[in-house]
């Protein structure tokens, strides 16, 4: 038989009094308590600020550090003259699994560029932050590197970004009170 | 006579005021201590600040308190007072309103017998720093704590809610089981010091062992009773490792139907009981107001040094030592509360009846034999 019989470990006398485990538990928690307490005290004197006494980030005042590759809110990159780099090739609109990009193309005066977006709407209420639009763009025209995380709105309409907001993050929309 | 009355009133106000403040502050300690233990910051958003430029110095004084989050206790109190005071249909009106009062009154009454200092000489008058010098103080405290159980039972009974009823039953059986252990484990102390008066018990702890190095406090004479009493007393406070009567978050306790300040009174009872248990532990096992090596006229260190102090300083040192010990126990109970998980109900009963109870009986027998042999 290939059955492996596991012996059930009986609790010994000390285990059943609970005392050793209680002492170990108190040792661990008190260790944290006194270490953090001393650190908090030193911080209030302005010392050892580099060592954190708590893992908490007090969010609105203090943002959690983001990884460099974190995908945050979208933006459209600009040429030197401030016009969008986007050539309205519709690649991102096509690849987007959430179908939240809506581009209206217009003819660009420069024949080398051919097209430009007359309007570029992105509905953040639908976006799943997959980043496909960034991957697929041939012109490096759309990026997700604004580091904006606090996206909140009172209605679905307010979640929609238009080309102005995408070109200049935090310039329009909710951010204007 | 009237002077006597005045002095007692002042003592009661001083002590009970201190106890209630400490209990209120414990909500803050609970939040912050758990936070620091768990590498968090803890509640710090209750903020009092004045807009007027004239009050800027006040703001400056309030700032450290704001940063520490002390005003959360205040915010709690405000919340409790302004919440709706709900009474379920079919509840027994009289008992429903009486239950929280019983809980909190008997918890507070127990403090009357606890000595928080030695005798203070003011002119020709000697003031015993104890609200009521009951000569059977141990029995008085136990009587009050047992009466407090009625509050819990009545709360469950009168709410017209089966969950509350079950919670009340759980609470009653738990508190009665552990009260037995508590009483019997204290018998060791009573036997060892030969008195039931709390002030006398504290006075008897003034001796020393090992050529005057080790103060003969309760826990050195009765180490087993120390642990047993602490466990049982923690169970009395109905706080976390033993919080089955309440089960704040999931198992629904006896005060489900209570809201507003009536709930607040149950909440306060728990904290007052924590302070009470800390006071009792201090009185019985940590020498009450005794300061190591301090006798009536000053410090007499075992290495021969002597530092004489005036009477007032000695009395104040005694009170400070009592308060520090109580604060230490409160810290310790909080640490336990945030370290241990809750017992299962059968484990609770098993611990109470099959471990603590026999162990406390054993302690009494051994102590009796030793006491008889020594006399
Ligand atoms: S991140 Fe994904 S879901 Fe969002 S717009 Fe780009 S492709 Fe669409
Ligand atoms: S893939 Fe790039 S260039 Fe093409 S439409 Fe989208 S943003 Fe514009």
């Amino acid at each position: 038989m290939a059955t492996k019989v596991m012996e059930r470990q009986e609790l010994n006398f000390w285990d059943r009094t609970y005392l050793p485990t209680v002492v170990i538990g108190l040792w661990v928690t008190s260790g944290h308590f006194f270490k953090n307490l001393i650190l908090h005290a030193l911080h209030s004197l302005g010392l050892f600020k580099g060592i954190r006494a708590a893992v908490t980030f007090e969010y609105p005042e203090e943002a959690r550090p983001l990884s460099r590759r974190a995908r945050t809110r979208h933006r459209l990159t600009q040429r030197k003259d401030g016009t969008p780099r986007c050539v309205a090739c519709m690649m991102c609109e096509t690849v987007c699994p959430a179908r939240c990009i809506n581009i209206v193309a217009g003819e660009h005066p420069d024949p080398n560029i051919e097209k430009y977006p007359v309007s570029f709407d992105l509905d953040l209420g639908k976006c799943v932050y997959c980043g496909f639009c960034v991957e697929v763009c041939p012109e490096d025209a759309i990026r997700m590197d604004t580091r904006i995380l606090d996206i909140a709105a009172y209605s679905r309409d307010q979640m929609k970004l238009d080309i102005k907001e995408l070109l200049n993050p935090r310039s329009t929309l909710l951010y204007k009170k | 006579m009237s002077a006597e009355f005045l002095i007692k009133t002042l003592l009661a106000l001083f002590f009970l005021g201190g106890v209630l403040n400490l209990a209120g502050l414990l909500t803050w300690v609970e939040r912050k201590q758990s936070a620091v233990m768990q590498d968090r910051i803890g509640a710090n958003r209750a903020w009092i600040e004045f807009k007027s430029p004239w009050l800027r110095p006040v703001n400056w004084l309030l700032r450290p308190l704001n940063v520490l989050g002390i005003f959360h206790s205040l915010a709690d109190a405000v919340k409790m007072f302004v919440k709706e005071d709900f009474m379920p249909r079919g509840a027994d009106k009289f008992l429903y309103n009486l239950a929280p009062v019983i809980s909190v009154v008997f918890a507070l009454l127990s403090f009357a017998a606890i000595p928080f200092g030695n005798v203070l000489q003011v002119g020709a008058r000697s003031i015993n720093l104890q609200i009521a010098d009951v000569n059977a103080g141990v029995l008085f405290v136990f009587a009050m704590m047992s009466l407090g159980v009625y509050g819990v039972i009545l709360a469950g009974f009168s709410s017209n809610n089966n969950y509350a009823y079950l919670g009340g039953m759980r609470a009653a059986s738990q508190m009665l089981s552990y009260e037995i252990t508590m009483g019997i484990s204290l018998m060791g102390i009573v036997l060892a010091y030969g008195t039931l008066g709390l002030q006398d018990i504290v006075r008897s702890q003034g001796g020393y062992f090992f050529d005057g190095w080790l103060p003969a406090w309760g826990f050195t004479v009765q180490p087993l009773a120390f642990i047993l009493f602490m466990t049982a007393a923690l169970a009395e406070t109905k706080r976390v490792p033993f919080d089955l009567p309440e089960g704040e978050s999931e198992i629904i306790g006896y005060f489900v139907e209570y809201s507003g300040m009536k709930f607040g009174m149950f909440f306060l009872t728990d904290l007052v009981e924590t302070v009470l248990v800390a006071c009792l532990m201090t009185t019985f096992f940590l020498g009450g107001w005794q300061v190591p090596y301090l006798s009536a006229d000053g410090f007499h260190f075992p290495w021969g040094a002597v530092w004489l102090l005036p009477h007032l300083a000695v009395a104040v040192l005694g009170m400070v030592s009592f308060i520090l010990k109580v604060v230490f126990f409160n810290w310790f109970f909080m640490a336990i509360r945030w370290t241990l998980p809750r017992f299962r109900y059968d484990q609770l009963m098993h611990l109470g009846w099959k471990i603590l109870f026999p162990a406390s009986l054993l302690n009494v027998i051994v102590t009796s034999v030793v006491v008889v042999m020594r006399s």
Side-chain angles (χ1 to χ4, degrees), chain A residues 16-19 21-22 25-26 29-30 32-37 40 53-61, chain B residues 32-42 44-45 227 331-332 335-336 338-340 343 347 350-351 355:
Chain A
R16 267 180 286 153
T17 60
Y18 301 112
L19 280 177
T21 36
V22 168
L26 281 173
T29 47
S30 310
H32 276 256
F33 178 77
F34 285 113
K35 190 192 111 213
N36 291 333
L37 198 66
H40 278 303
V55 292
T56 314
F57 291 93
E58 293 189 80
Y59 167 60
E61 291 97 43
Chain B
K32 278 297 183 185
Q33 190 177 337
S34 63
V36 174
M37 244 177 207
Q38 300 168 350
D39 298 352
R40 294 183 285 114
I41 290 180
N44 59 359
R45 296 295 159 114
I227 292 173
W331 172 83
F332 187 65
I336 289 182
W338 286 100
T339 303
L340 301 184
F343 282 103
Q347 288 171 333
H350 180 267
L351 180 72
I355 299 178

Side-chain angles (χ1 to χ4, degrees), chain B residues 280-338:
Chain B
L280 290 179
M281 293 292 295
T282 309
T283 309
F284 292 129
F285 296 102
L286 226 58
W289 38 260
Q290 304 272 11
V291 185
Y293 315 129
L294 182 73
S295 30
D297 56 349
F299 282 101
H300 294 271
F301 293 107
W303 53 91
V306 174
W307 183 24
L308 294 181
L309 287 169
H311 171 70
L312 191 66
V314 172
V316 169
L317 268 181
M319 271 197 272
V320 169
S321 119
F322 179 79
I323 293 168
L324 284 183
K325 287 169 191 170
V326 169
V327 167
F328 164 76
F329 271 116
N330 273 317
W331 172 83
F332 187 65
F333 292 157
M334 283 290 170
I336 289 182
R337 186 242 177 280
W338 286 100

Side-chain angles (χ1 to χ4, degrees), chain A residues 86-92 103 120 137-138 141:
Chain A
C86 172
V87 293
C89 67
M90 309 286 174
M91 294 275 250
C92 54
I103 307 170
F120 194 114
C137 179

Side-chain angles (χ1 to χ4, degrees), chain B residues 239-301:
Chain B
R239 285 166 59 76
V240 154
F242 303 100
D243 73 332
L244 294 117
E246 304 179 351
E248 274 166 10
S249 45
E250 60 292 312
I251 48 176
I252 306 187
Y254 55 90
F255 52 44
V256 240
E257 296 289 2
Y258 283 86
S259 59
M261 202 52 214
K262 281 187 203 136
F263 167 77
M265 280 162 93
F266 281 119
F267 191 66
L268 183 70
T269 310
D270 281 5
L271 296 172
V272 168
E273 272 182 347
T274 312
V275 180
L276 174 67
V277 166
C279 286
L280 290 179
M281 293 292 295
T282 309
T283 309
F284 292 129
F285 296 102
L286 226 58
W289 38 260
Q290 304 272 11
V291 185
Y293 315 129
L294 182 73
S295 30
D297 56 349
F299 282 101
H300 294 271
F301 293 107

Side-chain angles (χ1 to χ4, degrees), chain B residues 7 66 92 100 130 158 185 206 213 218 239-240 278 303-304 320 330 340 358:
Chain B
I7 288 169
N66 280 333
D92 187 315
Q130 184 183 18
S158 65
S185 64
W213 284 94
R239 285 166 59 76
V240 154
W303 53 91
V320 169
N330 273 317
L340 301 184

